[in-house]
Amino acid sequence: MKLSKVKTEITEPDMTPMIDMTFQLIAFFMMLLNFAEGDQNQRIQLPASELAKPAAMPLESPITLHVTQEDTVIIGGQEVSVEGLKPFLDREASVLTMRGKSPAVATVIVRGDMDAKTITVQDVIKTCQLARFEKFVLRAKEDRGY
Amino acid sequence: MQIEKKGSEAKVEMQMTPMIDIVFQLLTFFIMSFKIVAAEGDFDIKMPLAAKSEGLPPDTLPPMKVRLTATTGGQLNKIRLNDNDFGLSFDGLHNYIISVIGDERGPGSVQATAEVELDCDPQLHYQYVIKAITAVSGYTDADGNIVKLVEKIRFTPPKSRAG
């Protein structure tokens, strides 16, 4: 009796839908990637406000100061006391001057912790004024009401 | 002579494995670096360098002084605006500001010239300052648009920490 040969076929899965979906996922996560993370600090719990909306225009020469509830300030990743803040601000002011800008045009972003003392925030603003900074914004997180 | 058929039916398959490897690595990178962050916004504060007072220009309202007193633990104790006491109600302060500002907008209007000065106890928690600024600076209408009230906001000079 003659035995017929069984044909073996390689079955290849259709990869197209998987690749489509993977590219869509990549596009989704790319769009949501937050490059401004350097301006944030995990220790700071911002107060919420319904009027806090993301700025339509980027701020000019922003300098971010994180005010903690322990009465310290974080600037450029370094934690200093309010009294020790002045040299850092002077350095920022001299960098701006070297670029031909006045410190008065720079915007100081104050990211104060919700439980920080008001006097600390005021002292930070006063120290900035002594370093010739004039424009300040107080940052809050958006309160969507839910 | 027999002409040999050229192998035109030979299927050229693209090598997908390296591409899928890279794609999955990219996907992993983006998933790992993904972080949900609440949107943030800013309040402008007018704090020019201290200068000698030359008096208020004509047709300018004197600043409305919002006084926020605190308990020793930094919690809000009382809200006052000039002679009005609002207790702990930021809504009361907000409604009062709306009644003062009115509906008129544009240059020369009360809204354009009004100024609020925040006088806070030193130990007051900062969240109450933001609540006060929110109450005086505007509100969101039914369409989700922000209606501005007072735009000029500043702090009184800081008191001593012992306050």
Side-chain angles (χ1 to χ4, degrees):
Chain A
M1 196 180 78
K2 193 179 177 182
L3 292 173
S4 61
K5 250 187 187 173
V6 178
K7 272 191 178 176
T8 51
E9 279 183 15
I10 301 167
T11 47
E12 284 190 2
D14 188 7
M15 302 290 276
T16 318
M18 190 193 76
I19 295 170
D20 281 356
M21 211 186 71
T22 312
F23 271 112
Q24 282 192 29
L25 282 170
I26 287 179
F28 171 75
F29 284 110
M30 270 176 78
M31 299 293 280
L32 293 181
L33 193 66
N34 185 10
F35 289 106
E37 211 170 281
D39 292 344
Q40 297 176 355
N41 192 296
Q42 294 296 314
R43 278 177 60 190
I44 307 298
Q45 294 291 317
L46 287 180
S49 169
E50 62 173 283
L51 300 181
K53 304 283 179 199
M57 296 278 286
L59 299 169
E60 190 170 354
S61 307
I63 298 165
T64 307
L65 303 178
H66 306 273
V67 183
T68 69
Q69 52 179 301
E70 291 88 21
D71 294 339
T72 58
V73 184
I74 300 169
I75 176 170
Q78 280 187 279
E79 189 168 354
V80 292
S81 63
V82 178
E83 295 77 30
L85 181 63
K86 183 80 173 20
F88 289 88
L89 293 169
D90 286 339
R91 200 181 308 154
E92 294 281 353
S94 57
V95 169
L96 284 165
T97 311
M98 277 197 307
R99 289 181 186 165
K101 288 181 181 176
S102 162
V105 301
T107 309
V108 178
I109 302 167
V110 180
R111 294 185 84 253
D113 189 279
M114 59 193 294
D115 291 329
K117 293 188 190 86
T118 303
I119 186 78
T120 310
V121 176
Q122 286 183 278
D123 284 345
V124 166
I125 291 174
K126 192 179 165 189
T127 309
C128 292
Q129 287 176 319
L130 293 173
R132 295 176 292 140
F133 291 98
E134 290 184 25
K135 283 162 77 177
F136 301 92
V137 293
L138 303 182
R139 189 151 280 185
K141 70 179 175 196
E142 192 176 2
D143 183 8
R144 291 168 187 264
Y146 55 81
Chain B
M1 193 180 81
Q2 193 181 1
I3 296 170
E4 199 179 319
K5 247 190 187 175
K6 285 200 173 173
S8 59
E9 287 164 18
K11 211 176 173 183
V12 181
E13 284 198 1
M14 247 179 80
Q15 187 59 258
M16 301 293 277
T17 318
M19 191 191 76
I20 294 170
D21 282 353
I22 294 291
V23 163
F24 272 106
Q25 281 189 32
L26 279 171
L27 184 61
T28 314
F29 167 75
F30 284 118
I31 289 175
M32 298 290 273
S33 51
F34 176 64
K35 207 169 74 181
I36 298 168
V37 179
E40 295 178 1
D42 299 322
F43 290 103
D44 284 323
I45 294 289
K46 314 274 183 218
M47 295 292 283
L49 288 167
K52 280 182 184 175
S53 176
E54 292 169 2
L56 291 169
D59 304 330
T60 305
L61 287 169
M64 293 181 270
K65 273 203 172 185
V66 175
R67 174 92 178 95
L68 302 177
T69 54
T71 62
T72 49
Q75 301 299 319
L76 183 67
N77 187 37
K78 199 178 276 184
I79 307 165
R80 290 181 67 84
L81 196 159
N82 300 335
D83 293 328
N84 302 291
D85 191 338
F86 300 104
L88 297 173
S89 171
F90 283 105
D91 285 340
L93 173 67
H94 180 66
N95 293 332
Y96 181 81
I97 293 286
I98 289 175
S99 67
V100 170
I101 298 298
D103 296 328
E104 195 189 342
R105 295 289 183 274
S109 64
V110 178
Q111 188 267 337
T113 53
E115 187 171 352
V116 162
E117 191 175 273
L118 292 172
D119 182 7
C120 311
D121 275 354
Q123 73 276 20
L124 182 73
H125 285 177
Y126 179 62
Q127 58 181 306
Y128 299 111
V129 175
I130 294 295
K131 280 183 183 172
I133 293 173
T134 305
V136 301
S137 61
Y139 59 92
T140 313
D141 66 10
D143 299 326
N145 301 315
I146 291 176
V147 179
K148 289 187 174 177
L149 295 171
V150 180
E151 292 186 69
K152 294 174 188 167
I153 300 167
R154 61 185 163 100
F155 287 105
T156 53
K159 297 167 188 166
S160 68
R161 284 176 178 268

